[in-house]
mmCIF file of all heavy atoms in Angstrom:
data_model
loop_
_atom_site.group_PDB
_atom_site.id
_atom_site.type_symbol
_atom_site.label_atom_id
_atom_site.label_comp_id
_atom_site.label_asym_id
_atom_site.label_seq_id
_atom_site.Cartn_x
_atom_site.Cartn_y
_atom_site.Cartn_z
ATOM 1 N N LEU A 280 102.829 76.155 70.140
ATOM 2 C CA LEU A 280 101.944 76.210 71.312
ATOM 3 C C LEU A 280 100.728 77.037 70.936
ATOM 4 O O LEU A 280 100.795 78.255 70.829
ATOM 5 C CB LEU A 280 102.666 76.841 72.507
ATOM 6 C CG LEU A 280 103.991 76.201 72.941
ATOM 7 C CD1 LEU A 280 104.574 76.959 74.129
ATOM 8 C CD2 LEU A 280 103.799 74.732 73.290
ATOM 9 N N GLY A 281 99.599 76.364 70.718
ATOM 10 C CA GLY A 281 98.389 77.073 70.303
ATOM 11 C C GLY A 281 97.421 76.106 69.658
ATOM 12 O O GLY A 281 97.498 74.890 69.866
ATOM 13 N N GLY A 282 96.528 76.640 68.838
ATOM 14 C CA GLY A 282 95.555 75.812 68.146
ATOM 15 C C GLY A 282 95.972 75.552 66.710
ATOM 16 O O GLY A 282 97.119 75.777 66.306
ATOM 17 N N ASP A 283 95.003 75.097 65.893
ATOM 18 C CA ASP A 283 95.300 74.784 64.500
ATOM 19 C C ASP A 283 95.707 76.031 63.716
ATOM 20 O O ASP A 283 96.540 75.951 62.804
ATOM 21 C CB ASP A 283 94.089 74.130 63.840
ATOM 22 C CG ASP A 283 93.921 72.672 64.261
ATOM 23 O OD1 ASP A 283 94.885 72.105 64.825
ATOM 24 O OD2 ASP A 283 92.839 72.105 64.042
ATOM 25 N N GLY A 284 95.127 77.188 64.046
ATOM 26 C CA GLY A 284 95.501 78.411 63.354
ATOM 27 C C GLY A 284 96.959 78.753 63.559
ATOM 28 O O GLY A 284 97.656 79.184 62.632
ATOM 29 N N THR A 285 97.453 78.555 64.784
ATOM 30 C CA THR A 285 98.861 78.819 65.071
ATOM 31 C C THR A 285 99.753 77.828 64.333
ATOM 32 O O THR A 285 100.817 78.186 63.810
ATOM 33 C CB THR A 285 99.123 78.721 66.587
ATOM 34 O OG1 THR A 285 98.179 79.532 67.281
ATOM 35 C CG2 THR A 285 100.522 79.206 66.935
ATOM 36 N N LEU A 286 99.312 76.575 64.241
ATOM 37 C CA LEU A 286 100.105 75.582 63.535
ATOM 38 C C LEU A 286 100.157 75.885 62.042
ATOM 39 O O LEU A 286 101.199 75.738 61.399
ATOM 40 C CB LEU A 286 99.568 74.182 63.789
ATOM 41 C CG LEU A 286 100.515 73.053 63.348
ATOM 42 C CD1 LEU A 286 100.494 71.907 64.334
ATOM 43 C CD2 LEU A 286 100.146 72.540 61.961
ATOM 44 N N LEU A 287 99.040 76.347 61.474
ATOM 45 C CA LEU A 287 99.036 76.701 60.057
ATOM 46 C C LEU A 287 99.963 77.888 59.788
ATOM 47 O O LEU A 287 100.616 77.957 58.746
ATOM 48 C CB LEU A 287 97.609 77.021 59.601
ATOM 49 C CG LEU A 287 96.659 75.819 59.520
ATOM 50 C CD1 LEU A 287 95.235 76.285 59.270
ATOM 51 C CD2 LEU A 287 97.099 74.853 58.424
ATOM 52 N N ARG A 288 100.020 78.806 60.738
ATOM 53 C CA ARG A 288 100.948 79.941 60.606
ATOM 54 C C ARG A 288 102.388 79.440 60.645
ATOM 55 O O ARG A 288 103.238 79.867 59.855
ATOM 56 C CB ARG A 288 100.689 80.941 61.730
ATOM 57 C CG ARG A 288 101.662 82.102 61.780
ATOM 58 C CD ARG A 288 101.107 83.237 62.633
ATOM 59 N NE ARG A 288 100.857 82.845 64.003
ATOM 60 C CZ ARG A 288 101.753 82.947 64.993
ATOM 61 N NH1 ARG A 288 102.971 83.415 64.745
ATOM 62 N NH2 ARG A 288 101.430 82.606 66.232
ATOM 63 N N ALA A 289 102.668 78.523 61.561
ATOM 64 C CA ALA A 289 104.019 77.974 61.661
ATOM 65 C C ALA A 289 104.383 77.152 60.427
ATOM 66 O O ALA A 289 105.557 77.100 60.036
ATOM 67 C CB ALA A 289 104.125 77.113 62.914
ATOM 68 N N ALA A 290 103.394 76.525 59.809
ATOM 69 C CA ALA A 290 103.660 75.705 58.625
ATOM 70 C C ALA A 290 104.210 76.539 57.474
ATOM 71 O O ALA A 290 104.961 76.031 56.632
ATOM 72 C CB ALA A 290 102.389 74.983 58.188
ATOM 73 N N GLU A 291 103.854 77.821 57.423
ATOM 74 C CA GLU A 291 104.372 78.696 56.382
ATOM 75 C C GLU A 291 105.894 78.820 56.457
ATOM 76 O O GLU A 291 106.565 79.046 55.444
ATOM 77 C CB GLU A 291 103.739 80.085 56.502
ATOM 78 C CG GLU A 291 102.237 80.100 56.262
ATOM 79 C CD GLU A 291 101.626 81.483 56.478
ATOM 80 O OE1 GLU A 291 102.362 82.398 56.912
ATOM 81 O OE2 GLU A 291 100.431 81.638 56.210
ATOM 82 N N LEU A 292 106.438 78.665 57.659
ATOM 83 C CA LEU A 292 107.881 78.774 57.859
ATOM 84 C C LEU A 292 108.564 77.410 57.798
ATOM 85 O O LEU A 292 109.684 77.280 57.299
ATOM 86 C CB LEU A 292 108.162 79.429 59.210
ATOM 87 C CG LEU A 292 107.494 80.794 59.432
ATOM 88 C CD1 LEU A 292 107.657 81.224 60.876
ATOM 89 C CD2 LEU A 292 108.062 81.832 58.487
ATOM 90 N N ALA A 293 107.883 76.389 58.317
ATOM 91 C CA ALA A 293 108.490 75.057 58.383
ATOM 92 C C ALA A 293 108.550 74.383 57.015
ATOM 93 O O ALA A 293 109.515 73.678 56.715
ATOM 94 C CB ALA A 293 107.696 74.185 59.356
#
Side-chain angles (χ1 to χ4, degrees):
L280 304 180
D283 284 345
T285 309
L286 193 141
L287 290 171
R288 175 163 60 90
E291 296 176 355
L292 305 171

